[in-house]
Amino acid sequence: MWGPEGLDEVEAELLGPQEELKGRDVLELGAGAAQCSRWLAAQGARPVALDISHRQLQHALRIGGPVPLVCADAGALPFADGSFDLACSAYGALPFVADPRVVLREVRRVLRPGGRLVFSLTHPVRWAFPDEPGPEGLSVSGSYFDRTPYVEQDDDGRAVYVEHHRTLGDRVRDVVASGFRLVDLVEPEWPRWNTSEWGGWSPLRGRLIPGTAIFVCVRD
């Protein structure tokens, strides 16, 4: 799944035709419990799941599966140049770094020529709206152009969660400046079958404003 709307890779084929994934070396960034990597392995690909969170990778270990797990910073990938055919990230890594170009340039380095990167994140327009699933979440409450990051702190004032806002234009410029060619920008519509509601996600909001942005990039 690329996001809460429910768009899946079987339907979208953003990484390429499903039958062509077999034998491909794929890097999943911000893999969490490695759900995407397990799906890729089931298609015959050779995925590597990377996350900076040891605890997230422990979840992946408990679930199991034939996927190598790497605990590392996405901005300093521990791989040789040209190690992968594809890279993907579903709501991982990129929203949580202050300078996404560092990550993008590292991904470009480890991709082979012609390699593809596909990543999804919260659609930038959502930052102007409250994170509420009901009608109160449909009124603009802040500036879309305010790039102040969202920060959660513990009782001692230490940041325990940070997510960075960049406009859609910022994201496009980051991709291009990092040496990629942007070949598609997908904004999934909320499907009628999806009745899920959690956090700021709901059919009400999903049918009126975009929730996810998916960037399809190629390393020429």
Side-chain angles (χ1 to χ4, degrees), residues 141-162:
S141 62
S143 170
Y144 169 74
F145 300 102
D146 181 1
R147 295 167 176 84
T148 304
Y150 170 77
V151 180
E152 293 179 1
Q153 298 177 320
D154 63 15
D155 293 339
D156 296 322
R158 292 174 298 193
V160 294
Y161 180 93
V162 179

Side-chain angles (χ1 to χ4, degrees), residues 27-32 34 37 47-54 56-57 60-61 67-74 76-79 84:
L27 173 62
E28 183 186 4
L29 298 161
S37 287
V48 174
L50 180 142
D51 203 291
I52 199 171
S53 169
H54 183 259
Q56 285 288 347
L57 295 177
L61 279 174
V67 177
L69 306 175
V70 177
C71 188
D73 186 341
L77 297 174
F79 307 109
F84 297 94

Side-chain angles (χ1 to χ4, degrees), residues 15-86:
L15 291 170
Q18 190 174 348
E19 62 273 12
E20 294 182 10
L21 293 175
K22 187 175 181 178
R24 295 291 188 94
D25 296 308
V26 189
L27 173 62
E28 183 186 4
L29 298 161
Q35 297 95 321
C36 297
S37 287
R38 280 193 297 276
W39 180 85
L40 286 161
Q43 313 313 308
R46 295 191 295 262
V48 174
L50 180 142
D51 203 291
I52 199 171
S53 169
H54 183 259
R55 183 170 293 180
Q56 285 288 347
L57 295 177
Q58 285 181 315
H59 292 312
L61 279 174
R62 279 194 286 270
I63 295 170
V67 177
L69 306 175
V70 177
C71 188
D73 186 341
L77 297 174
F79 307 109
D81 297 359
S83 296
F84 297 94
D85 301 300
L86 300 165

Side-chain angles (χ1 to χ4, degrees), residues 157-179:
R158 292 174 298 193
V160 294
Y161 180 93
V162 179
E163 189 170 350
H164 294 269
H165 168 52
R166 297 179 73 76
T167 68
L168 200 59
D170 291 339
R171 292 292 181 190
V172 171
R173 284 186 288 275
D174 288 341
V175 166
V176 175
S178 302

Side-chain angles (χ1 to χ4, degrees), residues 57-150:
L57 295 177
Q58 285 181 315
H59 292 312
L61 279 174
R62 279 194 286 270
I63 295 170
V67 177
L69 306 175
V70 177
C71 188
D73 186 341
L77 297 174
F79 307 109
D81 297 359
S83 296
F84 297 94
D85 301 300
L86 300 165
C88 64
S89 183
Y91 277 77
L94 285 159
F96 309 109
V97 294
D99 187 355
R101 297 185 186 188
V102 172
V103 174
L104 290 168
R105 286 168 180 155
E106 271 292 271
V107 175
R108 185 186 185 280
R109 179 183 65 78
V110 302
L111 279 176
R112 295 169 184 138
R116 176 172 289 212
L117 163 66
V118 183
F119 66 93
S120 64
L121 39 75
T122 300
H123 197 292
V125 76
R126 280 234 168 178
W127 285 76
F129 293 83
D131 195 24
E132 298 288 344
E136 64 274 19
L138 298 177
S139 298
V140 172
S141 62
S143 170
Y144 169 74
F145 300 102
D146 181 1
R147 295 167 176 84
T148 304
Y150 170 77

